[in-house]
Amino acid sequence: MKVNNQGFTLIELVVVITIIGILAAVAAPRFINVQTDARISVLGGVEASMRSAASLVYAKALIQGLEQDANAAAANNLDLDNDGADDIAVQFGYPALAAITGQLDIASDDLVIDAANGVVGYDLDNDAAADANCRVTYAASTGVGLVPNVTPTITNC
């Protein structure tokens, strides 16, 4: 009677496990970096949204003659939808510091919005504030014809 043993030898199993281990060691860092790349991409989108919102508000402010007003007082509020109610505070025609985040449509549980400082970013250390190294900061216009400064900081996202 002839007996056929089927299966893998111990050496074959060790070789396959070693190859899988090497592949995992090479591939893991690439997958870990995907989360960082995703955060950077989201912040790039937030930056573009801030710039676009500021440009659209400025265009409307030009129509209403508010591009020369220096302070974001109630008298300088812009009526966005022509309903007679003031919608947004402007400074030299661009959204004031605390007003820019209200013009963005951000629906995210991960992003932290600090309207008072014009900051949108990620809270990576769970302190309820956007991290200094993973955020987009809006600085209002400082003069007639000067575009607001929108600065992404993505060094340690």
Short mmCIF file of all heavy atoms in Angstrom, two decimals, residues 64-142:
data_model
loop_
_atom_site.label_atom_id
_atom_site.label_comp_id
_atom_site.label_asym_id
_atom_site.label_seq_id
_atom_site.Cartn_x
_atom_site.Cartn_y
_atom_site.Cartn_z
N GLN A 64 -21.27 96.90 -3.74
CA GLN A 64 -21.93 97.70 -2.71
C GLN A 64 -21.06 98.87 -2.23
O GLN A 64 -21.45 99.60 -1.34
CB GLN A 64 -22.32 96.81 -1.53
CG GLN A 64 -23.39 95.80 -1.91
CD GLN A 64 -23.84 94.95 -0.75
OE1 GLN A 64 -23.63 95.28 0.41
NE2 GLN A 64 -24.49 93.84 -1.05
N GLY A 65 -19.85 99.02 -2.79
CA GLY A 65 -19.00 100.15 -2.45
C GLY A 65 -18.34 100.07 -1.09
O GLY A 65 -18.08 101.09 -0.46
N LEU A 66 -18.03 98.86 -0.62
CA LEU A 66 -17.44 98.70 0.71
C LEU A 66 -15.95 98.35 0.68
O LEU A 66 -15.38 98.01 1.70
CB LEU A 66 -18.19 97.59 1.48
CG LEU A 66 -19.66 97.86 1.78
CD1 LEU A 66 -20.30 96.65 2.40
CD2 LEU A 66 -19.80 99.07 2.69
N GLU A 67 -15.31 98.48 -0.48
CA GLU A 67 -13.91 98.08 -0.59
C GLU A 67 -12.93 99.07 0.05
O GLU A 67 -11.77 98.75 0.24
CB GLU A 67 -13.52 97.84 -2.05
CG GLU A 67 -13.35 99.10 -2.87
CD GLU A 67 -14.67 99.67 -3.40
OE1 GLU A 67 -15.75 99.16 -3.09
OE2 GLU A 67 -14.58 100.67 -4.14
N GLN A 68 -13.39 100.27 0.40
CA GLN A 68 -12.52 101.28 0.99
C GLN A 68 -12.59 101.30 2.52
O GLN A 68 -11.76 101.94 3.16
CB GLN A 68 -12.89 102.68 0.47
CG GLN A 68 -12.80 102.81 -1.03
CD GLN A 68 -11.37 102.80 -1.54
OE1 GLN A 68 -10.47 103.28 -0.88
NE2 GLN A 68 -11.17 102.23 -2.71
N ASP A 69 -13.57 100.64 3.11
CA ASP A 69 -13.78 100.71 4.55
C ASP A 69 -12.76 99.88 5.30
O ASP A 69 -12.59 98.69 5.05
CB ASP A 69 -15.20 100.24 4.91
CG ASP A 69 -16.26 101.17 4.32
OD1 ASP A 69 -15.96 102.36 4.15
OD2 ASP A 69 -17.36 100.69 4.02
N ALA A 70 -12.09 100.52 6.27
CA ALA A 70 -10.98 99.89 6.97
C ALA A 70 -11.39 98.96 8.10
O ALA A 70 -10.77 97.94 8.31
CB ALA A 70 -10.04 100.96 7.52
N ASN A 71 -12.40 99.31 8.85
CA ASN A 71 -12.72 98.48 10.02
C ASN A 71 -13.97 97.64 9.76
O ASN A 71 -14.80 97.95 8.94
CB ASN A 71 -12.89 99.32 11.28
CG ASN A 71 -14.02 100.31 11.17
OD1 ASN A 71 -14.62 100.46 10.12
ND2 ASN A 71 -14.31 100.99 12.25
N ALA A 72 -14.06 96.56 10.51
CA ALA A 72 -15.17 95.62 10.35
C ALA A 72 -16.31 95.98 11.29
O ALA A 72 -16.83 95.15 12.01
CB ALA A 72 -14.69 94.21 10.59
N ALA A 73 -16.69 97.25 11.29
CA ALA A 73 -17.79 97.70 12.16
C ALA A 73 -19.13 97.35 11.52
O ALA A 73 -19.20 96.97 10.35
CB ALA A 73 -17.69 99.20 12.37
N ALA A 74 -20.18 97.47 12.28
CA ALA A 74 -21.52 97.12 11.79
C ALA A 74 -21.89 97.94 10.56
O ALA A 74 -22.63 97.47 9.70
CB ALA A 74 -22.54 97.32 12.90
N ALA A 75 -21.38 99.17 10.46
CA ALA A 75 -21.69 100.01 9.31
C ALA A 75 -21.08 99.45 8.02
O ALA A 75 -21.49 99.81 6.93
CB ALA A 75 -21.19 101.42 9.55
N ASN A 76 -20.09 98.59 8.16
CA ASN A 76 -19.39 98.04 7.00
C ASN A 76 -19.82 96.62 6.68
O ASN A 76 -19.14 95.92 5.95
CB ASN A 76 -17.88 98.05 7.23
CG ASN A 76 -17.37 99.44 7.46
OD1 ASN A 76 -18.00 100.40 7.04
ND2 ASN A 76 -16.25 99.56 8.11
N ASN A 77 -20.94 96.18 7.23
CA ASN A 77 -21.39 94.82 6.95
C ASN A 77 -21.93 94.71 5.53
O ASN A 77 -22.59 95.61 5.04
CB ASN A 77 -22.45 94.38 7.96
CG ASN A 77 -21.84 93.99 9.29
OD1 ASN A 77 -20.62 93.97 9.44
ND2 ASN A 77 -22.68 93.67 10.24
N LEU A 78 -21.66 93.60 4.92
CA LEU A 78 -22.05 93.34 3.55
C LEU A 78 -23.35 92.55 3.52
O LEU A 78 -23.52 91.59 4.25
CB LEU A 78 -20.94 92.54 2.87
CG LEU A 78 -21.14 92.11 1.44
CD1 LEU A 78 -21.19 93.33 0.53
CD2 LEU A 78 -20.03 91.19 1.02
N ASP A 79 -24.27 92.96 2.67
CA ASP A 79 -25.53 92.25 2.47
C ASP A 79 -25.33 91.28 1.31
O ASP A 79 -25.32 91.67 0.15
CB ASP A 79 -26.65 93.25 2.17
CG ASP A 79 -28.00 92.59 2.02
OD1 ASP A 79 -28.11 91.39 2.32
OD2 ASP A 79 -28.93 93.27 1.60
N LEU A 80 -25.16 90.00 1.60
CA LEU A 80 -24.84 89.02 0.57
C LEU A 80 -26.01 88.66 -0.33
O LEU A 80 -25.84 88.39 -1.51
CB LEU A 80 -24.29 87.74 1.21
CG LEU A 80 -22.89 87.85 1.81
CD1 LEU A 80 -22.51 86.55 2.49
CD2 LEU A 80 -21.87 88.19 0.75
N ASP A 81 -27.22 88.62 0.22
CA ASP A 81 -28.35 88.15 -0.57
C ASP A 81 -29.39 89.22 -0.87
O ASP A 81 -30.52 88.91 -1.25
CB ASP A 81 -29.00 86.95 0.11
CG ASP A 81 -29.34 87.22 1.56
OD1 ASP A 81 -29.17 88.37 2.01
OD2 ASP A 81 -29.75 86.28 2.25
N ASN A 82 -29.03 90.48 -0.69
CA ASN A 82 -29.90 91.62 -1.01
C ASN A 82 -31.26 91.57 -0.33
O ASN A 82 -32.27 91.95 -0.90
CB ASN A 82 -30.09 91.74 -2.53
CG ASN A 82 -28.81 92.05 -3.25
OD1 ASN A 82 -27.98 92.81 -2.75
ND2 ASN A 82 -28.62 91.45 -4.40
N ASP A 83 -31.28 91.09 0.92
CA ASP A 83 -32.55 91.05 1.65
C ASP A 83 -32.67 92.20 2.65
O ASP A 83 -33.60 92.26 3.42
CB ASP A 83 -32.71 89.71 2.38
CG ASP A 83 -31.64 89.49 3.44
OD1 ASP A 83 -30.72 90.33 3.57
OD2 ASP A 83 -31.71 88.47 4.14
N GLY A 84 -31.69 93.12 2.64
CA GLY A 84 -31.72 94.26 3.55
C GLY A 84 -31.06 93.98 4.88
O GLY A 84 -30.81 94.90 5.65
N ALA A 85 -30.75 92.73 5.17
CA ALA A 85 -30.08 92.38 6.43
C ALA A 85 -28.58 92.21 6.18
O ALA A 85 -28.17 91.66 5.16
CB ALA A 85 -30.66 91.09 6.99
N ASP A 86 -27.79 92.72 7.12
CA ASP A 86 -26.34 92.57 6.99
C ASP A 86 -25.95 91.12 7.28
O ASP A 86 -26.37 90.53 8.26
CB ASP A 86 -25.62 93.51 7.96
CG ASP A 86 -25.86 94.97 7.60
OD1 ASP A 86 -26.05 95.23 6.40
OD2 ASP A 86 -25.85 95.82 8.49
N ASP A 87 -25.13 90.57 6.40
CA ASP A 87 -24.77 89.16 6.51
C ASP A 87 -23.35 88.93 7.01
O ASP A 87 -23.11 87.96 7.72
CB ASP A 87 -24.93 88.47 5.17
CG ASP A 87 -26.37 88.43 4.70
OD1 ASP A 87 -27.27 88.27 5.55
OD2 ASP A 87 -26.58 88.54 3.50
N ILE A 88 -22.40 89.76 6.62
CA ILE A 88 -21.00 89.49 6.94
C ILE A 88 -20.23 90.79 7.12
O ILE A 88 -20.39 91.73 6.35
CB ILE A 88 -20.36 88.61 5.85
CG1 ILE A 88 -18.91 88.30 6.18
CG2 ILE A 88 -20.49 89.24 4.49
CD1 ILE A 88 -18.28 87.31 5.24
N ALA A 89 -19.39 90.81 8.13
CA ALA A 89 -18.52 91.97 8.36
C ALA A 89 -17.35 91.92 7.39
O ALA A 89 -16.74 90.87 7.20
CB ALA A 89 -18.00 91.96 9.80
N VAL A 90 -17.07 93.06 6.77
CA VAL A 90 -15.95 93.12 5.82
C VAL A 90 -14.95 94.17 6.25
O VAL A 90 -15.28 95.13 6.95
CB VAL A 90 -16.44 93.42 4.38
CG1 VAL A 90 -17.25 92.27 3.84
CG2 VAL A 90 -17.21 94.71 4.31
N GLN A 91 -13.72 93.95 5.82
CA GLN A 91 -12.62 94.87 6.08
C GLN A 91 -11.90 95.07 4.76
O GLN A 91 -11.36 94.10 4.21
CB GLN A 91 -11.70 94.26 7.14
CG GLN A 91 -10.57 95.13 7.57
CD GLN A 91 -9.83 94.50 8.75
OE1 GLN A 91 -10.32 93.60 9.41
NE2 GLN A 91 -8.65 95.00 8.99
N PHE A 92 -11.92 96.28 4.22
CA PHE A 92 -11.40 96.58 2.89
C PHE A 92 -12.05 95.69 1.83
O PHE A 92 -11.42 95.29 0.86
CB PHE A 92 -9.88 96.45 2.85
CG PHE A 92 -9.18 97.43 3.74
CD1 PHE A 92 -8.51 97.00 4.88
CD2 PHE A 92 -9.21 98.79 3.46
CE1 PHE A 92 -7.87 97.90 5.71
CE2 PHE A 92 -8.56 99.69 4.29
CZ PHE A 92 -7.90 99.25 5.42
N GLY A 93 -13.32 95.35 2.04
CA GLY A 93 -14.07 94.56 1.08
C GLY A 93 -13.95 93.05 1.24
O GLY A 93 -14.74 92.31 0.68
N TYR A 94 -12.97 92.60 1.99
CA TYR A 94 -12.78 91.16 2.21
C TYR A 94 -13.39 90.78 3.54
O TYR A 94 -13.56 91.61 4.43
CB TYR A 94 -11.29 90.82 2.20
CG TYR A 94 -10.67 90.90 0.83
CD1 TYR A 94 -9.91 92.00 0.45
CD2 TYR A 94 -10.85 89.87 -0.08
CE1 TYR A 94 -9.35 92.08 -0.82
CE2 TYR A 94 -10.28 89.94 -1.34
CZ TYR A 94 -9.54 91.04 -1.70
OH TYR A 94 -8.98 91.10 -2.95
N PRO A 95 -13.71 89.50 3.74
CA PRO A 95 -14.30 89.09 5.02
C PRO A 95 -13.38 89.43 6.19
O PRO A 95 -12.16 89.29 6.10
CB PRO A 95 -14.44 87.57 4.89
CG PRO A 95 -14.45 87.31 3.43
CD PRO A 95 -13.61 88.38 2.82
N ALA A 96 -13.98 89.90 7.28
CA ALA A 96 -13.20 90.17 8.49
C ALA A 96 -12.73 88.85 9.08
O ALA A 96 -13.21 87.77 8.70
CB ALA A 96 -14.06 90.94 9.50
N LEU A 97 -11.81 88.92 10.02
CA LEU A 97 -11.18 87.73 10.59
C LEU A 97 -12.20 86.73 11.13
O LEU A 97 -12.17 85.56 10.80
CB LEU A 97 -10.21 88.13 11.70
CG LEU A 97 -9.41 87.00 12.33
CD1 LEU A 97 -8.51 86.34 11.31
CD2 LEU A 97 -8.59 87.52 13.48
N ALA A 98 -13.12 87.17 11.94
CA ALA A 98 -14.08 86.26 12.56
C ALA A 98 -15.19 85.84 11.61
O ALA A 98 -15.98 84.96 11.93
CB ALA A 98 -14.67 86.90 13.81
N ALA A 99 -15.27 86.45 10.43
CA ALA A 99 -16.38 86.19 9.52
C ALA A 99 -16.08 85.15 8.45
O ALA A 99 -17.00 84.59 7.87
CB ALA A 99 -16.81 87.49 8.86
N ILE A 100 -14.81 84.87 8.18
CA ILE A 100 -14.46 84.00 7.05
C ILE A 100 -14.96 82.58 7.26
O ILE A 100 -15.49 81.95 6.33
CB ILE A 100 -12.94 84.01 6.76
CG1 ILE A 100 -12.63 83.21 5.49
CG2 ILE A 100 -12.15 83.48 7.93
CD1 ILE A 100 -13.16 83.80 4.22
N THR A 101 -14.84 82.03 8.45
CA THR A 101 -15.23 80.64 8.65
C THR A 101 -16.74 80.43 8.51
O THR A 101 -17.18 79.35 8.18
CB THR A 101 -14.76 80.12 10.02
OG1 THR A 101 -15.26 80.97 11.04
CG2 THR A 101 -13.25 80.07 10.08
N GLY A 102 -17.51 81.50 8.73
CA GLY A 102 -18.95 81.40 8.53
C GLY A 102 -19.33 81.29 7.07
O GLY A 102 -20.44 80.87 6.75
N GLN A 103 -18.44 81.65 6.18
CA GLN A 103 -18.72 81.57 4.75
C GLN A 103 -18.33 80.23 4.15
O GLN A 103 -18.61 79.96 3.00
CB GLN A 103 -17.99 82.70 4.01
CG GLN A 103 -18.38 84.08 4.47
CD GLN A 103 -19.89 84.26 4.47
OE1 GLN A 103 -20.56 84.05 3.47
NE2 GLN A 103 -20.44 84.61 5.61
N LEU A 104 -17.66 79.40 4.94
CA LEU A 104 -17.24 78.09 4.46
C LEU A 104 -18.27 77.04 4.85
O LEU A 104 -18.84 77.10 5.94
CB LEU A 104 -15.88 77.72 5.06
CG LEU A 104 -14.74 78.71 4.84
CD1 LEU A 104 -13.50 78.22 5.55
CD2 LEU A 104 -14.47 78.90 3.37
N ASP A 105 -18.49 76.10 3.99
CA ASP A 105 -19.42 75.01 4.28
C ASP A 105 -18.58 73.79 4.65
O ASP A 105 -18.30 72.95 3.81
CB ASP A 105 -20.30 74.73 3.07
CG ASP A 105 -21.37 73.70 3.35
OD1 ASP A 105 -21.61 73.40 4.54
OD2 ASP A 105 -21.96 73.18 2.40
N ILE A 106 -18.18 73.73 5.92
CA ILE A 106 -17.34 72.64 6.39
C ILE A 106 -18.18 71.71 7.24
O ILE A 106 -18.69 72.10 8.29
CB ILE A 106 -16.14 73.18 7.21
CG1 ILE A 106 -15.25 74.04 6.33
CG2 ILE A 106 -15.36 72.02 7.80
CD1 ILE A 106 -14.11 74.68 7.05
N ALA A 107 -18.32 70.49 6.76
CA ALA A 107 -19.05 69.47 7.51
C ALA A 107 -18.07 68.35 7.84
O ALA A 107 -17.87 67.43 7.06
CB ALA A 107 -20.22 68.94 6.70
N SER A 108 -17.39 68.48 8.96
CA SER A 108 -16.40 67.49 9.34
C SER A 108 -16.34 67.36 10.85
O SER A 108 -16.36 68.36 11.57
CB SER A 108 -15.02 67.91 8.82
OG SER A 108 -14.02 67.06 9.33
N ASP A 109 -16.26 66.12 11.31
CA ASP A 109 -16.09 65.88 12.74
C ASP A 109 -14.62 65.99 13.14
O ASP A 109 -14.30 66.11 14.32
CB ASP A 109 -16.62 64.50 13.12
CG ASP A 109 -18.12 64.39 12.93
OD1 ASP A 109 -18.80 65.43 13.01
OD2 ASP A 109 -18.60 63.26 12.71
N ASP A 110 -13.72 65.96 12.15
CA ASP A 110 -12.29 65.96 12.44
C ASP A 110 -11.68 67.36 12.48
O ASP A 110 -10.68 67.57 13.14
CB ASP A 110 -11.55 65.12 11.40
CG ASP A 110 -11.97 63.66 11.44
OD1 ASP A 110 -12.29 63.17 12.54
OD2 ASP A 110 -12.00 63.02 10.38
N LEU A 111 -12.26 68.30 11.74
CA LEU A 111 -11.69 69.64 11.68
C LEU A 111 -12.19 70.50 12.85
O LEU A 111 -13.34 70.41 13.25
CB LEU A 111 -12.07 70.33 10.37
CG LEU A 111 -11.35 69.81 9.13
CD1 LEU A 111 -11.92 70.47 7.89
CD2 LEU A 111 -9.86 70.04 9.21
N VAL A 112 -11.29 71.32 13.37
CA VAL A 112 -11.61 72.27 14.43
C VAL A 112 -11.65 73.65 13.80
O VAL A 112 -10.74 74.04 13.08
CB VAL A 112 -10.55 72.21 15.56
CG1 VAL A 112 -10.83 73.25 16.61
CG2 VAL A 112 -10.51 70.83 16.17
N ILE A 113 -12.71 74.40 14.08
CA ILE A 113 -12.86 75.74 13.53
C ILE A 113 -12.78 76.75 14.66
O ILE A 113 -13.55 76.70 15.61
CB ILE A 113 -14.20 75.89 12.80
CG1 ILE A 113 -14.28 74.88 11.66
CG2 ILE A 113 -14.39 77.30 12.28
CD1 ILE A 113 -15.63 74.78 11.02
N ASP A 114 -11.81 77.66 14.57
CA ASP A 114 -11.63 78.74 15.53
C ASP A 114 -11.94 80.04 14.80
O ASP A 114 -11.07 80.67 14.22
CB ASP A 114 -10.20 78.73 16.07
CG ASP A 114 -9.93 79.82 17.09
OD1 ASP A 114 -10.86 80.58 17.42
OD2 ASP A 114 -8.78 79.91 17.55
N ALA A 115 -13.23 80.42 14.82
CA ALA A 115 -13.67 81.58 14.05
C ALA A 115 -13.04 82.87 14.53
O ALA A 115 -12.73 83.75 13.73
CB ALA A 115 -15.19 81.69 14.11
N ALA A 116 -12.82 83.01 15.83
CA ALA A 116 -12.26 84.26 16.37
C ALA A 116 -10.86 84.53 15.84
O ALA A 116 -10.45 85.68 15.71
CB ALA A 116 -12.25 84.19 17.89
N ASN A 117 -10.11 83.47 15.52
CA ASN A 117 -8.74 83.64 15.04
C ASN A 117 -8.59 83.29 13.56
O ASN A 117 -7.48 83.31 13.05
CB ASN A 117 -7.79 82.79 15.88
CG ASN A 117 -7.75 83.26 17.31
OD1 ASN A 117 -7.58 84.45 17.57
ND2 ASN A 117 -7.92 82.35 18.24
N GLY A 118 -9.68 82.95 12.88
CA GLY A 118 -9.62 82.62 11.46
C GLY A 118 -8.83 81.36 11.19
O GLY A 118 -8.10 81.28 10.20
N VAL A 119 -8.97 80.33 12.04
CA VAL A 119 -8.18 79.11 11.92
C VAL A 119 -9.10 77.91 11.71
O VAL A 119 -10.11 77.76 12.39
CB VAL A 119 -7.32 78.88 13.18
CG1 VAL A 119 -6.62 77.54 13.14
CG2 VAL A 119 -6.31 80.00 13.34
N VAL A 120 -8.72 77.07 10.76
CA VAL A 120 -9.36 75.77 10.56
C VAL A 120 -8.24 74.75 10.50
O VAL A 120 -7.28 74.91 9.75
CB VAL A 120 -10.17 75.74 9.23
CG1 VAL A 120 -10.75 74.36 9.01
CG2 VAL A 120 -11.26 76.78 9.24
N GLY A 121 -8.35 73.69 11.32
CA GLY A 121 -7.29 72.70 11.32
C GLY A 121 -7.67 71.44 12.05
O GLY A 121 -8.81 71.26 12.46
N TYR A 122 -6.69 70.57 12.22
CA TYR A 122 -6.89 69.29 12.89
C TYR A 122 -6.42 69.38 14.34
O TYR A 122 -5.42 70.02 14.64
CB TYR A 122 -6.11 68.18 12.18
CG TYR A 122 -6.78 67.72 10.92
CD1 TYR A 122 -6.41 68.24 9.69
CD2 TYR A 122 -7.79 66.77 10.96
CE1 TYR A 122 -7.03 67.81 8.53
CE2 TYR A 122 -8.42 66.35 9.81
CZ TYR A 122 -8.02 66.86 8.60
OH TYR A 122 -8.65 66.45 7.45
N ASP A 123 -7.14 68.71 15.20
CA ASP A 123 -6.77 68.60 16.61
C ASP A 123 -6.15 67.22 16.81
O ASP A 123 -6.85 66.26 17.12
CB ASP A 123 -7.99 68.78 17.51
CG ASP A 123 -7.68 68.60 18.99
OD1 ASP A 123 -6.49 68.65 19.34
OD2 ASP A 123 -8.62 68.42 19.77
N LEU A 124 -4.85 67.11 16.64
CA LEU A 124 -4.18 65.81 16.71
C LEU A 124 -3.83 65.40 18.14
O LEU A 124 -3.60 64.23 18.40
CB LEU A 124 -2.90 65.84 15.86
CG LEU A 124 -3.13 66.16 14.38
CD1 LEU A 124 -1.80 66.25 13.65
CD2 LEU A 124 -4.04 65.15 13.74
N ASP A 125 -3.82 66.35 19.07
CA ASP A 125 -3.46 66.02 20.46
C ASP A 125 -4.66 66.11 21.41
O ASP A 125 -4.49 66.11 22.62
CB ASP A 125 -2.31 66.89 20.95
CG ASP A 125 -2.61 68.37 20.80
OD1 ASP A 125 -3.73 68.73 20.41
OD2 ASP A 125 -1.70 69.17 21.08
N ASN A 126 -5.86 66.18 20.85
CA ASN A 126 -7.12 66.16 21.63
C ASN A 126 -7.20 67.24 22.72
O ASN A 126 -7.66 66.98 23.82
CB ASN A 126 -7.33 64.77 22.25
CG ASN A 126 -7.54 63.72 21.20
OD1 ASN A 126 -8.17 63.97 20.19
ND2 ASN A 126 -6.99 62.54 21.43
N ASP A 127 -6.79 68.46 22.39
CA ASP A 127 -6.91 69.56 23.35
C ASP A 127 -7.98 70.57 22.91
O ASP A 127 -8.04 71.67 23.41
CB ASP A 127 -5.57 70.26 23.55
CG ASP A 127 -5.05 70.93 22.29
OD1 ASP A 127 -5.68 70.76 21.22
OD2 ASP A 127 -4.02 71.62 22.37
N ALA A 128 -8.83 70.19 21.97
CA ALA A 128 -9.95 70.99 21.46
C ALA A 128 -9.51 72.24 20.73
O ALA A 128 -10.27 73.18 20.58
CB ALA A 128 -10.93 71.33 22.58
N ALA A 129 -8.27 72.28 20.26
CA ALA A 129 -7.77 73.40 19.48
C ALA A 129 -6.99 72.86 18.28
O ALA A 129 -6.39 71.78 18.36
CB ALA A 129 -6.86 74.28 20.33
N ALA A 130 -7.01 73.59 17.20
CA ALA A 130 -6.28 73.17 16.01
C ALA A 130 -4.78 73.22 16.28
O ALA A 130 -4.28 74.19 16.85
CB ALA A 130 -6.63 74.07 14.83
N ASP A 131 -4.10 72.15 15.92
CA ASP A 131 -2.66 72.09 16.13
C ASP A 131 -1.94 73.15 15.30
O ASP A 131 -2.34 73.43 14.17
CB ASP A 131 -2.12 70.71 15.76
CG ASP A 131 -2.52 69.65 16.77
OD1 ASP A 131 -3.26 69.97 17.70
OD2 ASP A 131 -2.07 68.50 16.62
N ALA A 132 -0.87 73.70 15.84
CA ALA A 132 -0.14 74.76 15.15
C ALA A 132 0.53 74.26 13.87
O ALA A 132 0.84 75.06 12.99
CB ALA A 132 0.91 75.34 16.09
N ASN A 133 0.74 72.96 13.74
CA ASN A 133 1.43 72.41 12.57
C ASN A 133 0.52 71.71 11.58
O ASN A 133 1.01 71.05 10.67
CB ASN A 133 2.52 71.44 13.03
CG ASN A 133 3.61 72.14 13.80
OD1 ASN A 133 3.98 73.25 13.48
ND2 ASN A 133 4.12 71.50 14.83
N CYS A 134 -0.78 71.83 11.76
CA CYS A 134 -1.72 71.16 10.86
C CYS A 134 -2.99 72.00 10.75
O CYS A 134 -4.04 71.62 11.24
CB CYS A 134 -2.02 69.76 11.41
SG CYS A 134 -2.84 68.70 10.22
N ARG A 135 -2.87 73.16 10.07
CA ARG A 135 -3.99 74.09 10.00
C ARG A 135 -3.85 75.06 8.85
O ARG A 135 -2.81 75.16 8.22
CB ARG A 135 -4.10 74.87 11.29
CG ARG A 135 -2.90 75.78 11.53
CD ARG A 135 -3.20 76.89 12.48
NE ARG A 135 -2.54 76.75 13.75
CZ ARG A 135 -2.86 77.48 14.79
NH1 ARG A 135 -3.81 78.36 14.73
NH2 ARG A 135 -2.23 77.37 15.92
N VAL A 136 -4.96 75.79 8.61
CA VAL A 136 -4.97 76.89 7.64
C VAL A 136 -5.40 78.14 8.41
O VAL A 136 -6.39 78.11 9.15
CB VAL A 136 -5.95 76.62 6.48
CG1 VAL A 136 -6.00 77.81 5.54
CG2 VAL A 136 -5.57 75.36 5.73
N THR A 137 -4.64 79.22 8.26
CA THR A 137 -4.90 80.45 8.98
C THR A 137 -5.24 81.57 8.00
O THR A 137 -4.56 81.75 6.99
CB THR A 137 -3.67 80.86 9.82
OG1 THR A 137 -3.29 79.76 10.64
CG2 THR A 137 -3.97 82.06 10.68
N TYR A 138 -6.30 82.30 8.32
CA TYR A 138 -6.75 83.43 7.51
C TYR A 138 -6.38 84.72 8.23
O TYR A 138 -6.67 84.88 9.41
CB TYR A 138 -8.27 83.35 7.32
CG TYR A 138 -8.88 84.52 6.59
CD1 TYR A 138 -8.93 84.54 5.20
CD2 TYR A 138 -9.44 85.59 7.28
CE1 TYR A 138 -9.51 85.60 4.53
CE2 TYR A 138 -10.02 86.65 6.61
CZ TYR A 138 -10.05 86.65 5.23
OH TYR A 138 -10.63 87.70 4.56
N ALA A 139 -5.73 85.62 7.53
CA ALA A 139 -5.42 86.95 8.07
C ALA A 139 -6.13 87.97 7.19
O ALA A 139 -5.92 87.99 5.97
CB ALA A 139 -3.92 87.20 8.09
N ALA A 140 -6.97 88.77 7.77
CA ALA A 140 -7.80 89.72 7.02
C ALA A 140 -6.94 90.73 6.27
O ALA A 140 -5.77 90.94 6.59
CB ALA A 140 -8.75 90.45 7.98
N SER A 141 -7.55 91.35 5.29
CA SER A 141 -6.87 92.37 4.49
C SER A 141 -6.44 93.53 5.38
O SER A 141 -7.15 93.94 6.30
CB SER A 141 -7.83 92.88 3.40
OG SER A 141 -7.22 93.92 2.68
N THR A 142 -5.26 94.07 5.09
CA THR A 142 -4.73 95.17 5.90
C THR A 142 -4.74 96.51 5.17
O THR A 142 -4.26 97.50 5.71
CB THR A 142 -3.29 94.85 6.34
OG1 THR A 142 -2.50 94.61 5.17
CG2 THR A 142 -3.26 93.65 7.26
#
